[in-house]
Structure formats: structure tokens, C-alpha cells
Amino acid sequence: MYHCVFIIFSLLLPSLETTIANQLVVVGGGDDNLVINKCLDKEIHALLHFKALLKDPNGILSTWKDDEHNCCKWLGVTCNNQTGHVTGLDIGLCSLEGEISHSLANLTYLNHLDLSSNSFHGTIPRSIGSLTELRFLSLSNNSLYGTIPPEFGNLTNLQWLYLGFVGRCRVENPEWLSGLSYLEELVMNGISLAKANHWVDVILSLRKLNFLSLLSCELSQVMYPYSSSFLNSSSSIEVLGLVNNNLTSSMYRWLFPLTSNKLHELYLSRNMLHGIPNYLGNLCSLKTFFFMNNSVVVKFPDFLKNLSGCTSLALQSLDASYSQFTESLSDDIQKFSSLNILSLSHNHLNGTISGKLWELPKLKVLDVSFNYLRGAISENIGKSKAIIINLSKNSIEGVASTDHMSNLSHIEYAGISSCKLGPNFPKWIQTFKNLTRLDISNNGISDTIPLGFWDMWPSKLTHLNLSSNNISGQVPDLSSNFDYRSVIDLSSNRFYGPIPNVSSTLVSLNLSRNKFSGEISLLCQIVGGLLQFLDLSDNFLTGQLPDCLWHFKDLKVLNLGNNYLSGMLPTSLGYLVQLEALYLFNNDFSGELSLSLKNCTKLNFLDLGANKFFGNVPVWIGESLSGLYALILRSNHFFGTIPLQLCQLQKLQILDLSMNHLHGSIPSCLNNLTSMVQDGFSQVENVHHHLSWSIDIFSFDAAYVDHAMIMWQGAEREFIRNLGLLKCIDLSSNNLTGKIPYELTDLYELFALNLSKNNILGEIPSQIGLMKKLLALDLSRNNLSGGIPSSMTQMTFLGYLDVSCNNLSGKIPSSTQLQSFEPSRYNGNTGLCGPPLNKKCPGDEKPEVPRVIGRSEGDGEGVDEVERWFYIGGGTGFVTGFWITCGALLLNRQGRYAFFQFYDSFKDWVYAKVVVLIANLQKVVHK
């Protein structure tokens, strides 16, 4: 919630700039109705030429016309009400695209220019540097490139300069900034300063500068960021941001002069800093310090100690989350008496939480989740004045006693998930009189809900998460317990009885994985239209799906899977026009699919598997539900052929039509399923955006991730969380005929293909080896013939293969992968041979080694007489020659020199010949 304040502030600068622009207009007197003189022709032509180079898809500049000579009435244009000169051009956030015209240089009286948040490209015109009256200039958030023109140094009246994320731009020599003596705010986020030597000196020369943001500026690459003469200077900067620059602790030498007692906010996140220097503890005006996402291990007690000067008295917000802090949350925390917000989540803190933490008088937000802290919270939490407490994912243990609990009416948000509070229900929770959000999920609670718990916060709760415990009992009427747009998650417990009544103002309701029973007529009572998420899966619900779903026009996720629901789907399903995921798997639904479902055009995930639906697979699925990434109709009674229209689902990653009564051939157009062809996980972002649907309230997640039952490697498995990465086709257990279309081999990104238990004939496509990412391939129980293609030796990721019970023949190609499978995966193919089968292929028998002529046939110890005399003669000759040669070399110096010179040359010749021979042999082998 507070993690990205500075970054968000930077991104909202265009809005702030617009506000400043309005103030400038007021100061300058920009009332159009008071304009005495019309625009000068020179300035009209400059504006029209500027417009002529642009694309304006939203018609923002439609009022800029040749026949309208008073340009002061044009949208975004401001004039001086006495002279008629154009003084302001404010067209930020207008979706304009094109190059910035040099004609703007003719607007010589311009004091405000805002071109931010458009799609301007090309280089930044140097001519802007001639607009010497400018006090405000923003080119932020565009697609420009090149060097920031040094002519900007001529803009000596500038007070606000915003160049954040202008594109791929750089500053090579920052000296031009020195001339901007009136500059108060400077934003250069995303601009490379890697070659900007002595940039610190330049900044220190700007005596009025109070806001400086240099996010992602490659500052770690600057060779000489400062000169020694400036180290004793001090700045007037109040807000300083140096986020995401890969800075190490060597930067603290040049940071020192940029920090003074005027500094209010300091942002050093996303760097590689080894702690902080002592001087940061002497910044008596520092109120906000962000040290998030630093990748170097830092001892937290040392960090606190270095901040413990007068900074500790002023600091109100400290965020050091997602870093590498170790050791304990020490007693030094008591010195930070002004702290309102303390976030240390996602670190490696351990030990007990200091009791001094709970005594901080102004603390309102505490987040130490995802650490290794331990302790008993009920004895200490009552001392705290915090209104938001998040202790999730630690080893904190609760105790039932409330002897040490003082008045806890101030606590509003309590996030205490995964803290081992069980097995008893923590009754001290009921001392939180003013709770609006409570998360005690995954705490090992095996108990019932205490009497009075549900009535503690009438119409106050906006978020309740008791999930992933072992809580039992019935849930009472909840229709008056929750506030507007609230969230309830009671999933993964042992609640039983009927589904409770809930408020019509609910946004999310998750009662899955419990023992609720009875009908779901309560859906007809939720008439507020706010519900976006409903999960009642994995219960014992019965009856029909009521035909009153028109109330849920905002519903995005509906999961009723794994129940005992029956009957036909109601036509009111078609009113769920915002629906993105529909799970009805493993029920007793029957009939043909309701035509009204074609109105749910935003569907991404449709799982109707394991029901009793019948009829043809509707063609409108391919025509109307173009956003589907998963279509699961497995284990129903669908008949007919596979409609060609399914090939239009270019985003489809999971297609499961198995265990039906489909006939006909496999459509060859399946290679149009683009997501299974393109390299990489093209749909993951889309899936994650649409289906990992969550409500995030200061780390109180009601996260929902898509899941499904998939036949994987011969067994049915539930895929959770990683389903968006899966790409598979399952057409098994039907009556399909014809050949396997060779076009299927175009699906290079497919992970699993199951065509088993059909009547498919013909050969396995010879290019099937191109599907190199296949992890599972099942072609068993068909009428396939021919051999196993040699290209399958390239399928090195294949972990499951079954081609049994076909009419395949020939030798199984040799590869590490194909020989690693059990012989049963090849059984039922009488013509197959070779490993791993025991059946040898023709020609595999080892030929007998011919007996050597002249060798005795006794015990093998005899030696041919010719051989014997060969060895004797050879040995004698070698000895004689060796001593003749050595004797000559020992007695003759010149001969010795000549011999070794010859030996060296001969050795090089032999080496060259051997190298050439080996190279030729390798070529022959590869051929």
C-alpha cells in the first residue's frame, strides 16, 4: 500500500504539472473571454505546423483549424489577455503521436509547455532551448531518443523541468544544468547519466532546487560523480530519489553534500547498499525513508543504530521491505517515537519482537510479515497504538490469556496469517473492537468459532479471512455483519450446514473446500450486483443452478465445481457479461449447452468437464469466445465432429475434449492455435492478469488462481497455480478416425498430446520430432501403422511415451530417451523390435569372429611359428638399430644437431597430418 509512494508520485507528475499549469494561467491572466488581441499569424502557423506532423486518434486538436484565427480558443492553448501572445501549451495525456516540430520555436512568449504522456518520437528539438520565457517544461513519458539538448541551458527562467522517462535519452555533459539558477524541481527518471561526470557538483550549484528524482539513471556507471571542491557544499533539496541505480555503499561519499537538515524524504530503494552511514542519523527533518529491495545483507540492529540520532525523532515512515535484513528487531526501535508507518516485510529478521515496538506512541501501520520472528503476541500487541498490524508468515504464537491486553479499540487491520496461533481459536481477537479487516488464515486452528464472534463487528468488517484452518461448526446469517464492497474467505475448513445468507454488497465470497450442503437458492437473494468472485466448489451442494443470475453483471469468477448440482444450465448465465472463468466440473449437469453462454464473450477459462452434457460441441464457442485460453469438456456425452471453428481460438493453450463420443478426423487447422505455436509463454501475462484474480488490501489477499483436472502421464492430476504455463491437447477416448494431420507437428510449444483410445490409422507424422518441448505423448490403442519416426530421437524432454496397442513395426530408433521407457509402452505392436523390447531386429545377431589361420586349436596358448620368428626378428632389429643410432649421435656433434632438427620437423609434419585425418573422419561420421 505504501511501498511505491515515490514511484507513484513520479508517475502522477503529469497531473501535478497540469495543476501547476492552471496556477500559472491564473497568475498570467489566461481568461479567454478577456483576450483583446487575436493570435499573431506567426504563432497560428507555428501551432498548425506542429499539429500537421501528428496523429490525433481522439481528435483532441480538432479545434485547431485554419479558419479559426483566434488560437486562444483552441484546446490546450493559453494566451496573454493583453497582447494575445501564446503563453501556454498544455496537451499532456492526449494520445498524440509523431515528431515534435521545430515550429514551436516561433512561440517566443511561451512560459508553459507540457507535452507529457503522449507518444512523441524522434529526437528532442534543440530549438526548444530558444524558448527563454519558459518556466515550466515537461516532456515526460514519451518515446524520444538521443542526447538531451545542451541548449536547454538557455532556459534560465525554468522553475520546473520534468524529463522523466522521455524515452531512450542520455545526458553526456550536465554542465548545461548550471545555468538554470531558478530551478526548483528536476525529474530525469530513466535518462542515462552514465557519462555525466561531476553531476553532483552541478546539482549543488542549483541553490533553489528542492525536488530531485533520478530513478533508473545508471548512476553506478559514472566514473567521477563529484569533485573534491564540492564536498563541503550543502544543498536545499527536500525530496531526493535515487531509486534503481545499482548503487553500492561507495555512493555515500557523494550523497553527503546532497543531504542536509532540509531533507524531508529520501528514497534509496532497489540498490545494493551495505547498510547506511552514521550521517543519515543526523538529518533532523527527515520524515520518510525508503530502503526497499536492497540486495545486500544488512544487520538490522546496526541499521537502526546508525539512524538513531535526531533522525529517529523526526522519522514518520520507514519502509525497508523486500530487502536482506538479518538479526532481530532490537530495542533501539523505541527511539523512533514519531514513527507512523514501519514496514519490514519479506526480510530475514529472526529472534523475538522487541516489546519496545508495541510502545511506540504514534505507530499506525506495522508490517513485519514474511520473516522468521517469534514470540507471543497477545502479551504485547495490546500495548501498541497501531491500527494496521500484519505479522503474517512468522513463527509467532498466540496465547489465550487476555490478562495483559489493554484497550485494543484502535486496531482496524490485523493480518496475522501463518503465525501458529492454533489449535484453539484465539479469543483475544474479540478485544479488537474496531476491526475492519481480519486475516487469521493458515494458523492450524482446530476449533469452533466462539460464541459472539460473528456479532463483534456489525456492519464494520470489509475483509474476513479464516481460510486454510480446520475450523468446524455452522456459519450463521452474515447479511448484516459486513460493510460495503466486502470480502469473505472461509475456504478450506470443516464448516457444514446450509450456505449462510450474506450481504448483497459483497465483492467476493469463497466458501470452497468445506462441507456445506443443501441448495444454492441464496444466489437469488444477492441482488446488489457488486459480486465479482463466487467460489462454492468442493462441498456437498445439491439441486439446480437457479435461473436468477441476471443480478451478477459484474461477476468475473464463478466456481461451482465438485458438488452434486444437476439439471440444465439456466439461460440467465448469458447475463454474466463480465465473466472470465466458469468452473462447473464434476457435477451432474445435463442437457445441451445453453446458447446464452455465447454472450459471455470475456470468458478465458471454461471447464465443464465430468458432467452429463450432450449434443454437438457448439460452433459458437470458436466464434464468440475468442479469448479462451482453456476449454475443458472432458468426460461428457458430446457427439458429432470436432468443429473447425475451434481453430479460431488463437489464445487457446488447453484443449480437452477427451472421453466423449466424438467421431470424424482431427482438424488439420489446429496449427492455427497460435499460443501453441509461438515461442515462449505468450499467454502467461494475460492469464495472470485475468485469472489470478485477487483483492489486495494491504497484503490481505483473497487470491484466486485457476486450476483444473488434467490427464497427465496416464493419471488424472489437479494443476494449481502453474496451469497458465501448460499447453496441451487431449482428444483421447473418442471415436476419432483418419490420420494424424501432419500440421499438428507445427505446434512446437505443445507440452502434452494425448490421442489414445481412438480409431486413428496411418503413420505417425515423420516430422513429429519437431515438437521438441513435448513432455508427454500418448498415441496408444489406435490403428497406427508404419515405423516410429527417427525424428523422435530429437525429443529430449519427453518424460512419458505410450504407443502400445497399435500396428507399428520396425526398429525402435536408438536414443537415450526412447530406450528409457518401460517395454509395456511399446507392447501390442507385433512388428516392433529393438531395445527396450527383448525382440531383436533382423541383422542384429552378432556375426561369428573368423578363426585366425595357423593358430593352434588346443588351449589357446600356442603361437604360429611365423609370428614367433616375426617377434624375435623385430626385437633383434630394434635393439641393433637403436644402439647404432644412439652411438652415432653420441660421438658426432654435427650429426646429433642434424638429427634433432629433423626430428622436430618430422614431429610437426606428423601432428599436422593427424589433425587433418581426424577432421576428415569427423565429417564422414556426421554424414
Side-chain angles (χ1 to χ4, degrees), residues 340-358:
N340 292 324
I341 300 171
L342 175 61
S343 182
L344 302 173
S345 68
H346 296 83
N347 277 283
H348 303 288
L349 298 175
N350 52 40
T352 58
I353 299 177
S354 170
K356 303 296 183 181
L357 174 68
W358 309 105

PDB file of all heavy atoms in Angstrom, residues 340-358:
ATOM      1  N   ASN A 340       4.973   6.521  12.254  1.00  0.00           N
ATOM      2  CA  ASN A 340       3.583   6.185  11.935  1.00  0.00           C
ATOM      3  C   ASN A 340       3.503   4.869  11.165  1.00  0.00           C
ATOM      4  O   ASN A 340       2.575   4.089  11.340  1.00  0.00           O
ATOM      5  CB  ASN A 340       2.942   7.282  11.080  1.00  0.00           C
ATOM      6  CG  ASN A 340       2.751   8.562  11.845  1.00  0.00           C
ATOM      7  OD1 ASN A 340       2.447   8.538  13.020  1.00  0.00           O
ATOM      8  ND2 ASN A 340       2.953   9.695  11.179  1.00  0.00           N
ATOM      9  N   ILE A 341       4.491   4.659  10.288  1.00  0.00           N
ATOM     10  CA  ILE A 341       4.485   3.502   9.396  1.00  0.00           C
ATOM     11  C   ILE A 341       5.830   2.803   9.494  1.00  0.00           C
ATOM     12  O   ILE A 341       6.883   3.424   9.319  1.00  0.00           O
ATOM     13  CB  ILE A 341       4.232   3.922   7.936  1.00  0.00           C
ATOM     14  CG1 ILE A 341       2.872   4.633   7.799  1.00  0.00           C
ATOM     15  CG2 ILE A 341       4.310   2.723   7.010  1.00  0.00           C
ATOM     16  CD1 ILE A 341       2.657   5.258   6.440  1.00  0.00           C
ATOM     17  N   LEU A 342       5.797   1.490   9.768  1.00  0.00           N
ATOM     18  CA  LEU A 342       7.007   0.674   9.788  1.00  0.00           C
ATOM     19  C   LEU A 342       6.742  -0.588   8.987  1.00  0.00           C
ATOM     20  O   LEU A 342       5.914  -1.414   9.368  1.00  0.00           O
ATOM     21  CB  LEU A 342       7.403   0.315  11.221  1.00  0.00           C
ATOM     22  CG  LEU A 342       8.603  -0.637  11.364  1.00  0.00           C
ATOM     23  CD1 LEU A 342       9.859  -0.011  10.746  1.00  0.00           C
ATOM     24  CD2 LEU A 342       8.850  -0.994  12.818  1.00  0.00           C
ATOM     25  N   SER A 343       7.436  -0.741   7.865  1.00  0.00           N
ATOM     26  CA  SER A 343       7.265  -1.920   7.012  1.00  0.00           C
ATOM     27  C   SER A 343       8.609  -2.602   6.826  1.00  0.00           C
ATOM     28  O   SER A 343       9.528  -2.040   6.219  1.00  0.00           O
ATOM     29  CB  SER A 343       6.679  -1.540   5.654  1.00  0.00           C
ATOM     30  OG  SER A 343       6.485  -2.696   4.864  1.00  0.00           O
ATOM     31  N   LEU A 344       8.709  -3.819   7.366  1.00  0.00           N
ATOM     32  CA  LEU A 344       9.929  -4.622   7.265  1.00  0.00           C
ATOM     33  C   LEU A 344       9.615  -5.993   6.678  1.00  0.00           C
ATOM     34  O   LEU A 344      10.335  -6.960   6.919  1.00  0.00           O
ATOM     35  CB  LEU A 344      10.569  -4.778   8.647  1.00  0.00           C
ATOM     36  CG  LEU A 344      10.938  -3.490   9.381  1.00  0.00           C
ATOM     37  CD1 LEU A 344      11.391  -3.786  10.796  1.00  0.00           C
ATOM     38  CD2 LEU A 344      12.022  -2.753   8.625  1.00  0.00           C
ATOM     39  N   SER A 345       8.564  -6.089   5.923  1.00  0.00           N
ATOM     40  CA  SER A 345       8.124  -7.390   5.411  1.00  0.00           C
ATOM     41  C   SER A 345       9.124  -7.967   4.412  1.00  0.00           C
ATOM     42  O   SER A 345       9.933  -7.251   3.821  1.00  0.00           O
ATOM     43  CB  SER A 345       6.753  -7.249   4.742  1.00  0.00           C
ATOM     44  OG  SER A 345       6.853  -6.487   3.559  1.00  0.00           O
ATOM     45  N   HIS A 346       9.074  -9.301   4.242  1.00  0.00           N
ATOM     46  CA  HIS A 346       9.896 -10.017   3.278  1.00  0.00           C
ATOM     47  C   HIS A 346      11.387  -9.748   3.480  1.00  0.00           C
ATOM     48  O   HIS A 346      12.104  -9.307   2.586  1.00  0.00           O
ATOM     49  CB  HIS A 346       9.483  -9.665   1.845  1.00  0.00           C
ATOM     50  CG  HIS A 346       8.093 -10.088   1.494  1.00  0.00           C
ATOM     51  ND1 HIS A 346       6.978  -9.314   1.816  1.00  0.00           N
ATOM     52  CD2 HIS A 346       7.619 -11.201   0.872  1.00  0.00           C
ATOM     53  CE1 HIS A 346       5.897  -9.946   1.389  1.00  0.00           C
ATOM     54  NE2 HIS A 346       6.245 -11.084   0.837  1.00  0.00           N
ATOM     55  N   ASN A 347      11.851  -9.994   4.717  1.00  0.00           N
ATOM     56  CA  ASN A 347      13.264  -9.933   5.039  1.00  0.00           C
ATOM     57  C   ASN A 347      13.666 -11.247   5.691  1.00  0.00           C
ATOM     58  O   ASN A 347      12.976 -12.255   5.546  1.00  0.00           O
ATOM     59  CB  ASN A 347      13.555  -8.741   5.946  1.00  0.00           C
ATOM     60  CG  ASN A 347      13.719  -7.446   5.158  1.00  0.00           C
ATOM     61  OD1 ASN A 347      14.752  -7.206   4.537  1.00  0.00           O
ATOM     62  ND2 ASN A 347      12.694  -6.601   5.178  1.00  0.00           N
ATOM     63  N   HIS A 348      14.772 -11.235   6.433  1.00  0.00           N
ATOM     64  CA  HIS A 348      15.249 -12.431   7.124  1.00  0.00           C
ATOM     65  C   HIS A 348      15.432 -12.139   8.609  1.00  0.00           C
ATOM     66  O   HIS A 348      16.358 -12.656   9.239  1.00  0.00           O
ATOM     67  CB  HIS A 348      16.567 -12.910   6.510  1.00  0.00           C
ATOM     68  CG  HIS A 348      16.481 -13.186   5.044  1.00  0.00           C
ATOM     69  ND1 HIS A 348      15.816 -14.275   4.532  1.00  0.00           N
ATOM     70  CD2 HIS A 348      16.943 -12.494   3.965  1.00  0.00           C
ATOM     71  CE1 HIS A 348      15.881 -14.252   3.207  1.00  0.00           C
ATOM     72  NE2 HIS A 348      16.562 -13.175   2.845  1.00  0.00           N
ATOM     73  N   LEU A 349      14.556 -11.310   9.153  1.00  0.00           N
ATOM     74  CA  LEU A 349      14.632 -10.994  10.575  1.00  0.00           C
ATOM     75  C   LEU A 349      14.296 -12.228  11.399  1.00  0.00           C
ATOM     76  O   LEU A 349      13.421 -13.020  11.036  1.00  0.00           O
ATOM     77  CB  LEU A 349      13.660  -9.864  10.911  1.00  0.00           C
ATOM     78  CG  LEU A 349      13.920  -8.522  10.211  1.00  0.00           C
ATOM     79  CD1 LEU A 349      12.826  -7.526  10.540  1.00  0.00           C
ATOM     80  CD2 LEU A 349      15.275  -7.960  10.612  1.00  0.00           C
ATOM     81  N   ASN A 350      14.986 -12.367  12.539  1.00  0.00           N
ATOM     82  CA  ASN A 350      14.706 -13.506  13.411  1.00  0.00           C
ATOM     83  C   ASN A 350      14.744 -13.040  14.864  1.00  0.00           C
ATOM     84  O   ASN A 350      14.885 -11.854  15.147  1.00  0.00           O
ATOM     85  CB  ASN A 350      15.699 -14.649  13.163  1.00  0.00           C
ATOM     86  CG  ASN A 350      17.139 -14.188  13.241  1.00  0.00           C
ATOM     87  OD1 ASN A 350      17.498 -13.375  14.102  1.00  0.00           O
ATOM     88  ND2 ASN A 350      17.967 -14.674  12.341  1.00  0.00           N
ATOM     89  N   GLY A 351      14.614 -13.988  15.763  1.00  0.00           N
ATOM     90  CA  GLY A 351      14.561 -13.632  17.175  1.00  0.00           C
ATOM     91  C   GLY A 351      13.171 -13.163  17.565  1.00  0.00           C
ATOM     92  O   GLY A 351      12.219 -13.212  16.788  1.00  0.00           O
ATOM     93  N   THR A 352      13.049 -12.694  18.778  1.00  0.00           N
ATOM     94  CA  THR A 352      11.754 -12.210  19.268  1.00  0.00           C
ATOM     95  C   THR A 352      11.547 -10.750  18.901  1.00  0.00           C
ATOM     96  O   THR A 352      12.506 -10.003  18.686  1.00  0.00           O
ATOM     97  CB  THR A 352      11.664 -12.373  20.791  1.00  0.00           C
ATOM     98  OG1 THR A 352      12.748 -11.649  21.388  1.00  0.00           O
ATOM     99  CG2 THR A 352      11.749 -13.822  21.193  1.00  0.00           C
ATOM    100  N   ILE A 353      10.294 -10.362  18.811  1.00  0.00           N
ATOM    101  CA  ILE A 353       9.964  -8.959  18.556  1.00  0.00           C
ATOM    102  C   ILE A 353      10.154  -8.177  19.852  1.00  0.00           C
ATOM    103  O   ILE A 353       9.594  -8.538  20.892  1.00  0.00           O
ATOM    104  CB  ILE A 353       8.522  -8.816  18.058  1.00  0.00           C
ATOM    105  CG1 ILE A 353       8.345  -9.577  16.748  1.00  0.00           C
ATOM    106  CG2 ILE A 353       8.154  -7.364  17.864  1.00  0.00           C
ATOM    107  CD1 ILE A 353       6.932  -9.557  16.218  1.00  0.00           C
ATOM    108  N   SER A 354      10.935  -7.112  19.780  1.00  0.00           N
ATOM    109  CA  SER A 354      11.165  -6.307  20.978  1.00  0.00           C
ATOM    110  C   SER A 354       9.846  -5.781  21.533  1.00  0.00           C
ATOM    111  O   SER A 354       8.996  -5.261  20.792  1.00  0.00           O
ATOM    112  CB  SER A 354      12.094  -5.134  20.647  1.00  0.00           C
ATOM    113  OG  SER A 354      12.140  -4.230  21.723  1.00  0.00           O
ATOM    114  N   GLY A 355       9.682  -5.891  22.829  1.00  0.00           N
ATOM    115  CA  GLY A 355       8.481  -5.356  23.474  1.00  0.00           C
ATOM    116  C   GLY A 355       8.373  -3.847  23.329  1.00  0.00           C
ATOM    117  O   GLY A 355       7.279  -3.282  23.431  1.00  0.00           O
ATOM    118  N   LYS A 356       9.511  -3.180  23.062  1.00  0.00           N
ATOM    119  CA  LYS A 356       9.500  -1.723  22.898  1.00  0.00           C
ATOM    120  C   LYS A 356       8.730  -1.302  21.651  1.00  0.00           C
ATOM    121  O   LYS A 356       8.248  -0.166  21.577  1.00  0.00           O
ATOM    122  CB  LYS A 356      10.943  -1.202  22.815  1.00  0.00           C
ATOM    123  CG  LYS A 356      11.819  -1.555  24.010  1.00  0.00           C
ATOM    124  CD  LYS A 356      11.313  -0.918  25.286  1.00  0.00           C
ATOM    125  CE  LYS A 356      12.245  -1.230  26.460  1.00  0.00           C
ATOM    126  NZ  LYS A 356      11.759  -0.641  27.731  1.00  0.00           N
ATOM    127  N   LEU A 357       8.637  -2.212  20.699  1.00  0.00           N
ATOM    128  CA  LEU A 357       7.918  -1.884  19.468  1.00  0.00           C
ATOM    129  C   LEU A 357       6.479  -1.505  19.752  1.00  0.00           C
ATOM    130  O   LEU A 357       5.928  -0.576  19.154  1.00  0.00           O
ATOM    131  CB  LEU A 357       7.974  -3.085  18.515  1.00  0.00           C
ATOM    132  CG  LEU A 357       7.150  -2.988  17.230  1.00  0.00           C
ATOM    133  CD1 LEU A 357       7.723  -1.923  16.314  1.00  0.00           C
ATOM    134  CD2 LEU A 357       7.112  -4.331  16.511  1.00  0.00           C
ATOM    135  N   TRP A 358       5.864  -2.228  20.687  1.00  0.00           N
ATOM    136  CA  TRP A 358       4.445  -2.036  20.958  1.00  0.00           C
ATOM    137  C   TRP A 358       4.172  -0.750  21.728  1.00  0.00           C
ATOM    138  O   TRP A 358       3.023  -0.351  21.889  1.00  0.00           O
ATOM    139  CB  TRP A 358       3.893  -3.230  21.730  1.00  0.00           C
ATOM    140  CG  TRP A 358       4.237  -4.537  21.089  1.00  0.00           C
ATOM    141  CD1 TRP A 358       5.180  -5.431  21.505  1.00  0.00           C
ATOM    142  CD2 TRP A 358       3.669  -5.089  19.903  1.00  0.00           C
ATOM    143  NE1 TRP A 358       5.234  -6.503  20.659  1.00  0.00           N
ATOM    144  CE2 TRP A 358       4.311  -6.325  19.667  1.00  0.00           C
ATOM    145  CE3 TRP A 358       2.673  -4.669  19.018  1.00  0.00           C
ATOM    146  CZ2 TRP A 358       3.993  -7.141  18.586  1.00  0.00           C
ATOM    147  CZ3 TRP A 358       2.360  -5.484  17.946  1.00  0.00           C
ATOM    148  CH2 TRP A 358       3.015  -6.687  17.739  1.00  0.00           C
TER     149      TRP A 358
END
